[in-house]
C-alpha cells in the first residue's frame, strides 16, 4: 500500500519542531537516513510531500493488547537530501478524497531531526486500537479506506490506501496514535 504526495492541502498539526538556533547537522551518503539533534544553517530543506513516496507497512509486533500496529514509510523520491522533523499528521479517512473519520491521531514520543538522502526512507509507527473494545454508541464504528498523512511540517497530504481498518466516527474517542518519524531501520 503506497501513495505519493497528492497535493491535497490543509492546515497541518504535524508537531514539527523548529530548527532555528540549531548547531549541528548529520552527514550521510546518498540513499541513507540519519538522525541528529538539529540541523545547521544552510542544511537540507524540509522534505516536501510531493517529493515523498508513502507506504503503509505491517508494524513490529503485529497486533497486541487490543491494538493493530503499522509503520508509515516515507521515501525521498527527490534528487537532493531533505529533512523530516516531528510527528506526521495522521487520520483515518473514508476514501482517497474522503472525509476524515473521527479524531486525528494522538502523538507520542520525542522527535529528532531525520535527514533523508535521495532514495532513503524514514518511518513513523502508528497504533490503532480495536474499536470493538469501545462502547459502540460512543465510538460509532465505521470502515476506513486508508490514512491521510501530512509529513511533518507540511500542509499538503498524501492518501495511503489500506484494507481492513475500522475507526470511530465520533471525535470523543481517539483510537489512533502516532510516533515521531525516525531514521531507517
Amino acid at each position: 500500500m503506497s501513495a505519493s504526495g497528492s497535493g491535497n492541502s490543509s492546515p497541518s498539526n504535524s508537531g514539527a519542531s523548529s530548527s532555528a538556533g540549531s548547531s549541528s547537522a548529520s552527514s550521510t551518503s546518498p540513499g541513507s537516513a540519519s538522525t541528529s539533534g538539529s540541523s545547521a544553517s544552510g542544511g537540507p530543506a524540509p522534505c516536501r510531500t510531493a517529493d515523498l513516496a508513502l507506504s503503509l507497512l505491517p508494524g513490529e509486533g503485529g497486533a497486541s493488547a487490543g491494538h493493530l500496529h503499522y509503520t508509515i514509510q516515507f521515501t525521498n523520491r527527490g534528487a537532493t537530501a531533505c529533512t523530516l522533523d516531528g510527528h506526521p499528521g495522521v487520520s483515518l479517512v473514508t476514501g482517497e478524497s474522503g472525509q476524515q473519520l473521527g479524531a486525528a491521531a494522538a502523538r507520542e514520543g520525542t522527535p529528532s531531526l531525520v535527514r533523508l538522502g535521495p532514495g532513503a526512507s524514514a518511518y513513523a509507527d502508528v497504533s490503532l486500537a480495536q474499536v470493538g473494545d469501545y462502547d459502540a454508541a460512543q465510538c460509532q464504528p465505521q470502515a476506513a479506506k486508508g490514512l491521510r498523512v501530512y509529513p511533518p511540517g507540511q500542509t499538503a497530504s498524501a492518501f495511503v490506501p489500506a484494507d481492513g481498518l475500522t475507526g470511530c466516527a465520533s471525535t470523543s474517542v481517539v483510537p489512533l496514535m502516532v510516533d515521531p518519524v525516525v531514521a531507517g531501520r
Side-chain angles (χ1 to χ4, degrees):
M1 293 175 259
S2 66
S4 58
S6 66
N8 291 330
S9 190
S10 173
S12 170
N13 293 324
S14 67
S17 61
S18 169
S19 60
S22 57
S23 61
S24 69
S26 61
S27 78
T28 61
S29 59
S32 64
S34 68
T35 302
S36 74
S38 57
S39 70
S41 156
C47 298
R48 296 177 326 126
T49 305
D51 292 331
L52 296 169
L54 279 67
S55 302
L56 188 64
L57 309 172
E60 294 177 11
S64 65
H67 288 81
L68 300 172
H69 301 281
Y70 300 95
T71 299
I72 300 169
Q73 179 178 3
F74 299 84
T75 302
N76 181 0
R77 298 182 307 167
T80 61
C82 62
T83 60
L84 293 171
D85 189 8
H87 294 80
V90 179
S91 58
L92 294 167
V93 291
T94 58
E96 183 170 345
S97 60
Q99 187 171 0
Q100 180 172 317
L101 179 60
R107 294 175 176 91
E108 292 186 327
T110 304
S112 293
L113 181 73
V114 176
R115 183 183 188 279
L116 287 181
S121 295
Y123 305 87
D125 290 331
V126 176
S127 174
L128 176 62
Q130 300 279 355
V131 298
D133 293 343
Y134 295 101
D135 176 79
Q138 182 183 11
C139 171
Q140 303 167 19
Q142 184 177 339
K145 299 294 184 190
L147 300 173
R148 173 80 50 214
V149 179
Y150 292 89
Q154 297 299 298
T155 57
S157 67
F159 172 74
V160 182
D163 296 320
L165 300 179
T166 302
C168 294
S170 170
T171 57
S172 67
V173 176
V174 184
L176 200 57
M177 303 290 276
V178 64
D179 290 338
V181 174
V182 296
R185 301 191 168 182

